[in-house]
Amino acid sequence: MNTNEVIEKYNSAVISSYGRLNLALESGSGAAGTDADGRQYIDFGSGIGTNSLGYADEEWADAVSAQAHKMQHISNYYYNATAAEFAAKLTAMTGTDKLFFGNSGAEANECAIKIARKRSFDKYGDQNRTTIITLVNSFHGRTVTTLSATGQDVFHNYFFPFTPGFKYVEANNIQALRDAIDGTVCAIMFEFIQGEGGVVPLDKEFVDEIFALAAEHDLATISDEVQTGVGRTGKLLAAEHFGVKPDVVTLAKGLGGGLPIGVCLTRGEYADVLTPGTHGSTFGGNPVVCAGGIVVLNRLSDEKFMAEVAEKAAYFRKSLEALPKVKSVSGIGLMLGAELDGVSAGDLLKAALENGLLVLTAKTKLRCLPPLTITYEQIDAGMAILRGILEKA
Ligand SMILES: *Cc1c(COP(=O)(O)O)cnc(C)c1O
């Protein structure tokens, strides 16, 4: 099938809940993808920060296919060594105690919300101590409850009634955060860098205030690291840049190297809140996905690899900042947003696609989440494409 045939067939059979671009990707290697007509693309998006090792990494593909040949799924009635190894490795690497296995970011966040509320109820026996403070411009997922948690009015539409018990505070507004705390609050949930909200990092002072208020009022701290986690910012967790240890951490996007996984990591008393029968997920802990995840974690535990990610991130940032019509660059590591001067990010994305480069946008910004394995040559080639477009814009 060529591109047009793929698109026609797809649209005839799939609900159109996305505004898609006219691109049908068929294969790839590292940060280079190939479409159904044989055209090549440099990828600055990695499937929204998901293909952390790029397309079809050899070691990852071998581990995944070896596990598929051995056994693909077992259900959560039983144990599996691959899932055990992945969980033990991830909790050790993140300095957390225990995790829950799901399949997506939204599912990981649902679990975090349930843990925060059950912990509050177990301890205080109060059905009103359930409010979770989240931030304006946050993004936490597409289920009815994670849409509620998302602090953006555009997402609070059509699907009424939304789950109650969320309160939104402007990011980096310390006074607003203090004012929002009352006897109904049980948790504060946040992204260290708001991804969908425009690649906006939290201030260190604001993060410190979250943790101070949480300690003072016995609130759960929940960091949604679905986008910022798994090496994206040059550290395993973005929390390391802020020097804090949230009670609950959610990861998803980059964790499986492109396979569906979402985990909710917990520390201390939060590790023992869920008891048999209180939560579940049929596919959770799938051995094939965990086999891929182990390869990702092994790569990230290599100090040399992580040092390279940090160096490439600095180079990527400098290159972005040097582009014409780029006003400023936000973000940390390889999670970067560029504010543009007189150019629409959506138009730039379309022009980049026509010229063989895949990028993302977030609000009015150009957003780049390249695979952690991207090469300097690919960074240069992608930047040259952006430069060519922006010089003429
Ligand atoms: C993508 C994202 C989610 C949702 O993840 P899904 O896998 O699409 O459910 C949640 N939180 C953040 C911060 C995200 O970037």
Side-chain angles (χ1 to χ4, degrees), residues 2 8 35 44 67 79-80 98 146 154 158 178 185 194 230 240 243 271 286 293 300 315 323-324:
N2 65 26
E8 198 172 312
D35 75 9
F44 279 6
Q67 182 62 50
Y79 294 93
N80 172 266
K98 288 182 179 176
T146 55
V154 302
Y158 316 122
R178 287 181 185 152
V185 175
Q194 296 189 325
V230 200
E240 296 169 48
N286 177 279
L300 296 188
Y315 183 78
L323 290 177

Side-chain angles (χ1 to χ4, degrees), residues 104-107 109 139-141 191 196 224 226-227 252-253:
S104 66
E107 218 185 320
N109 287 336
F139 182 78
H140 296 299
E191 300 153 85
E196 305 305 310
D224 176 347
V226 167
Q227 192 162 151
K253 287 189 167 84

Side-chain angles (χ1 to χ4, degrees), residues 37-164:
D37 301 334
R39 275 196 76 198
Q40 293 257 11
Y41 299 83
I42 292 166
D43 189 357
F44 279 6
S46 64
I48 320 185
T50 293
N51 297 323
S52 38
L53 306 181
Y55 295 113
D57 177 87
E58 283 292 329
E59 194 191 343
W60 173 89
D62 285 347
V64 168
S65 62
Q67 182 62 50
H69 280 286
K70 216 158 133 192
M71 177 171 277
Q72 75 278 40
H73 172 80
I74 55 159
S75 91
N76 280 297
Y77 284 124
Y78 316 117
Y79 294 93
N80 172 266
T82 307
E85 189 189 334
F86 174 81
K89 200 178 273 290
L90 181 57
T91 50
M93 284 171 72
T94 53
T96 56
D97 292 311
K98 288 182 179 176
L99 64 76
F100 178 85
F101 275 122
N103 310 290
S104 66
E107 218 185 320
N109 287 336
E110 287 270 350
C111 179
I113 291 162
K114 285 173 93 168
I115 287 176
R117 287 187 171 166
K118 183 169 184 297
R119 183 266 184 178
S120 181
F121 181 73
D122 287 349
K123 189 157 175 185
Y124 295 93
D126 179 356
Q127 285 186 41
N128 294 314
R129 195 183 182 280
T130 51
T131 303
I132 297 175
I133 293 175
T134 66
L135 303 181
V136 172
N137 263 332
S138 56
F139 182 78
H140 296 299
R142 295 285 196 161
T143 61
V144 171
T145 296
T146 55
L147 280 175
S148 271
T150 293
Q152 300 189 51
D153 289 342
V154 302
F155 289 107
H156 302 157
N157 225 326
Y158 316 122
F159 313 113
F160 309 103
F162 287 94
T163 308

Side-chain angles (χ1 to χ4, degrees), residues 187-206:
I188 306 173
M189 181 173 180
F190 55 91
E191 300 153 85
F192 286 105
I193 307 167
Q194 296 189 325
E196 305 305 310
V199 198
V200 182
L202 296 185
D203 298 336
K204 169 83 171 104
E205 298 70 38
F206 186 76

Side-chain angles (χ1 to χ4, degrees), residues 244-317:
V244 292
K245 292 186 158 76
D247 300 310
V248 181
V249 180
T250 58
L251 296 177
K253 287 189 167 84
L255 188 56
L259 290 173
I261 185 170
V263 302
C264 180
L265 296 154
T266 54
R267 286 190 168 93
E269 61 177 303
Y270 291 87
D272 301 315
V273 171
L274 296 177
T275 49
T278 55
H279 197 41
S281 179
T282 298
F283 286 112
N286 177 279
V288 176
V289 177
C290 287
I294 288 170
V295 175
V296 172
L297 294 182
N298 283 344
R299 205 70 64 85
L300 296 188
S301 47
D302 178 352
E303 274 174 37
K304 208 173 129 234
F305 179 84
M306 289 307 285
E308 275 168 22
V309 170
E311 276 165 38
K312 269 187 279 193
Y315 183 78
F316 199 107
R317 187 187 193 103

